[in-house]
Amino acid sequence: MEAIAPPITGTMNDASPPKEVEARVDYLNLPCPIPYEEIHREALMSLKPELFEGMRFDFTKGLNQKFSLSHSVFMGPTEIPSQSSETIKIPTAHYEFGANFIDPKLMLFGRILTDGRVNARIKCDLTENLTLKANAQLTNEPHMSHGMFNFDYKGTDYRTQFQLGNGALFGASYIQSVSPHLSFGGEVFWAGQHRKSGIGYAARYNTDKMVATGQVASTGMIALSYVQKVSQKVSLASDFMYNHMSRDVTASFGYDYILRQCRLRGKIDSNGCVAAFLEERLNMGLNFIISAELDHKKKDYKFGFGLTVGE
């Protein structure tokens, strides 16, 4: 009889997929966080659009690649302080002329209004890591003019800022990345003219899909915000504000929707205020703006429209 060959034995490879190995965090190469004063910027983009009431027209003309001139006309009511619950408005109108100089290391902005106000802003990169920011406003009203200098130092995984202002105002802030997504920071300030001082702490956690922030200060303020990026064009935002001194509590929810030709932002808060802001791109360098805000509690309704010409 023919010999029967023995079966060939061997090991079979496991068909299960290999396990993913988590990437180790290099704590000596963490990302640089955003400035302390901008930790809520994603939420503010949705919840704090530039609302206005009346008519607005903005025109910007570029003279060359670095220098441009701007003209702005605004007509609408202005609210004046009142002890009653009703909102008092008076009709106003003004014209604003501006000049802009934009360079990779130097930016200058100047504005002058028909009511006598003069505004100026400057941003200068002194070194690769140190930036000087300054702004000033001059008015005809006594004790209303002010100026502020801000020195921003950007480290590898931290940022620090120092502020100097009129009225013996001094401030400092520091924010540090402790992981690729988490950063902690703090600030202190002293207002010598009003004899007030304060200290605050903040935390920020951000990923590609969400941003969560929290801030608390010795002045009694507590601020929380959360932004969820649904897609590249849609994001939802919410925030919570609590003032321990005045016992005021406000919660709001907003959205930011970017379409091909327009951008729509809006919010609703716990005080019964509903707002929406629409920017429609009609053509290259031509935008149409609609603004609306309904405050049902105060029975204050604001509507505005505008046109922006130039980039």
Side-chain angles (χ1 to χ4, degrees):
M1 294 180 63
E2 186 176 358
I4 300 176
I8 300 175
T9 60
T11 60
M12 299 182 63
N13 294 332
D14 190 2
S16 60
K19 296 182 179 180
E20 296 183 358
V21 179
E22 296 183 358
R24 297 184 61 181
V25 178
D26 185 4
Y27 289 99
L28 298 179
N29 191 24
L30 295 176
C32 183
I34 66 174
Y36 184 89
E37 59 185 8
E38 300 180 10
I39 59 173
H40 301 287
R41 68 182 182 187
E42 288 85 1
L44 294 178
M45 288 293 292
S46 302
L47 302 174
K48 303 290 184 181
E50 191 178 351
L51 302 173
F52 65 96
E53 183 179 11
M55 189 277 292
R56 199 177 81 185
F57 176 76
D58 301 317
F59 174 74
T60 303
K61 175 64 176 179
L63 303 182
N64 53 43
Q65 295 182 350
K66 297 182 179 181
F67 190 72
S68 63
L69 300 177
S70 63
H71 308 268
S72 300
V73 178
F74 173 78
M75 292 184 291
T78 300
E79 298 182 6
I80 59 176
S82 174
Q83 296 181 354
S84 63
S85 58
E86 297 182 359
T87 303
I88 300 178
K89 302 179 181 181
I90 58 175
T92 58
H94 66 255
Y95 164 76
E96 177 184 284
F97 173 77
N100 312 309
F101 178 82
I102 300 178
D103 187 75
K105 293 187 177 182
L106 178 64
M107 301 173 65
L108 302 173
F109 303 93
R111 300 289 185 270
I112 182 170
L113 287 81
T114 51
D115 58 6
R117 287 180 295 168
V118 178
N119 301 322
R121 288 188 298 131
I122 179 175
K123 180 181 178 183
C124 178
D125 294 336
L126 303 178
T127 64
E128 293 183 357
N129 298 328
L130 182 61
T131 301
L132 168 64
K133 300 177 183 178
N135 63 80
Q137 183 183 66
L138 303 177
T139 65
N140 296 326
E141 302 178 11
H143 309 293
M144 294 301 294
S145 300
H146 67 269
M148 177 76 71
F149 290 90
N150 190 321
F151 295 91
D152 183 2
Y153 184 80
K154 179 181 179 181
T156 55
D157 58 358
Y158 68 92
R159 277 181 183 265
T160 182
Q161 290 181 325
F162 296 94
Q163 296 178 347
L164 303 173
N166 63 322
L169 176 63
F170 302 94
S173 64
Y174 179 86
I175 186 168
Q176 172 74 54
S177 294
V178 295
S179 77
H181 304 291
L182 181 63
S183 57
F184 292 104
E187 65 171 346
V188 294
F189 73 89
W190 163 255
Q193 184 176 0
H194 303 285
R195 300 294 180 180
K196 292 183 179 180
S197 62
I199 185 171
Y201 304 95
R204 174 185 168 94
Y205 184 85
N206 64 284
T207 64
D208 296 335
K209 294 294 184 179
M210 54 80 68
V211 178
T213 61
Q215 188 175 11
V216 60
S218 60
T219 55
M221 186 271 295
I222 299 175
L224 305 174
S225 68
Y226 178 81
V227 177
Q228 178 69 43
K229 300 177 182 178
V230 180
S231 65
Q232 293 183 353
K233 297 182 178 181
V234 182
S235 62
L236 304 176
S238 62
D239 72 345
F240 175 83
M241 304 287 292
Y242 173 68
N243 192 319
H244 179 71
M245 302 300 180
S246 60
R247 304 295 182 179
D248 291 335
V249 181
T250 304
S252 59
F253 172 80
Y255 58 89
D256 190 350
Y257 192 18
I258 301 176
L259 297 172
R260 187 178 62 177
Q261 292 293 116
C262 73
R263 181 177 185 179
L264 178 62
R265 288 175 284 175
K267 72 160 188 175
I268 180 172
D269 62 25
S270 57
N271 294 325
C273 183
V274 182
F277 190 80
L278 172 66
E279 298 172 277
E280 177 75 23
R281 188 185 183 104
L282 303 178
N283 205 339
M284 182 66 68
L286 181 62
N287 298 329
F288 181 66
I289 304 173
I290 299 178
S291 174
E293 184 178 11
L294 310 178
D295 193 337
H296 298 285
K297 184 177 181 180
K298 298 181 180 179
K299 296 182 179 179
D300 183 20
Y301 310 105
K302 302 176 182 178
F303 298 92
F305 66 95
L307 197 64
T308 301
V309 181
E311 297 292 340

